[in-house]
Amino acid sequence: MGAWDALVGALLAVLGSFVFLQARAFPTLSGGYPGPGLFPQILGGVLVVAGLSLVASGLRRGLTRRPLVTAGAREWARAGAVVLAVVLYLGAVRTLGFVLVTALLLTGLTLALGVRLRWSLLFAAGFTALLYLLFGRILHVPLPRGPLGGLW
């Protein structure tokens, strides 16, 4: 796995550098307060450090080639379900609303990954409510309302 670690680490370091440099161009606030670029800069720095750590780890192990993933048909189907769900989510969230589509996505994904129906519904309802409260109410991020928007 050394070669894969080194490759993924290098990609993470490049991505982190890009994020860090782009965030430096964000506006600053007066009075010495951190601006909107602080969090992306921290995230970019963490990605660079993690990426370089992976590169070093991969080089220490040696650049041997082994398969990155050894998965059967079931695992590939589950991975495809996750990708398809995200694509469908992006297409439906503006029309149907954040709460409804997020709850459906989480329920469907947990069911596809083998969780029982009751736990899937509980998890989806709880996590959707948590996300809505955090982003919609506390952070005041405008979330798509959809046809059920007036209920909450």
Side-chain angles (χ1 to χ4, degrees), residues 2-151:
W4 288 112
D5 287 347
L7 176 64
V8 170
L11 291 174
L12 280 177
V14 168
L15 175 67
S17 299
F18 177 76
V19 168
F20 183 85
L21 292 174
Q22 291 298 315
R24 288 189 63 192
F26 287 7
T28 58
L29 299 177
S30 61
Y33 295 106
L38 176 66
F39 181 72
Q41 283 181 319
I42 292 171
L43 183 61
V46 167
L47 282 173
V48 169
V49 171
L52 293 177
S53 173
L54 266 176
V55 169
S57 171
L59 293 176
R60 274 195 310 271
R61 289 184 186 153
L63 299 178
T64 59
R65 290 187 179 206
R66 285 187 240 155
L68 180 61
V69 176
T70 54
R74 186 177 195 177
E75 287 81 13
W76 281 107
R78 286 180 174 178
V82 170
V83 172
L84 179 63
V86 170
V87 170
L88 291 174
Y89 179 87
L90 293 173
V93 73
R94 288 183 190 245
T95 306
L96 299 176
F98 173 80
V99 173
L100 179 63
V101 176
T102 302
L104 289 173
L105 172 98
L106 291 174
T107 302
L109 282 178
T110 52
L111 286 172
L113 296 174
V115 178
R116 292 185 179 159
L117 178 62
R118 180 174 72 168
W119 292 111
S120 293
L121 293 171
L122 285 172
F123 171 75
F127 200 68
T128 300
L130 177 71
L131 289 174
Y132 178 76
L133 289 173
L134 176 66
F135 290 102
R137 295 292 180 204
I138 296 172
L139 297 175
H140 302 290
V141 173
L143 300 172
R145 294 185 89 104
L148 304 175
L151 297 178

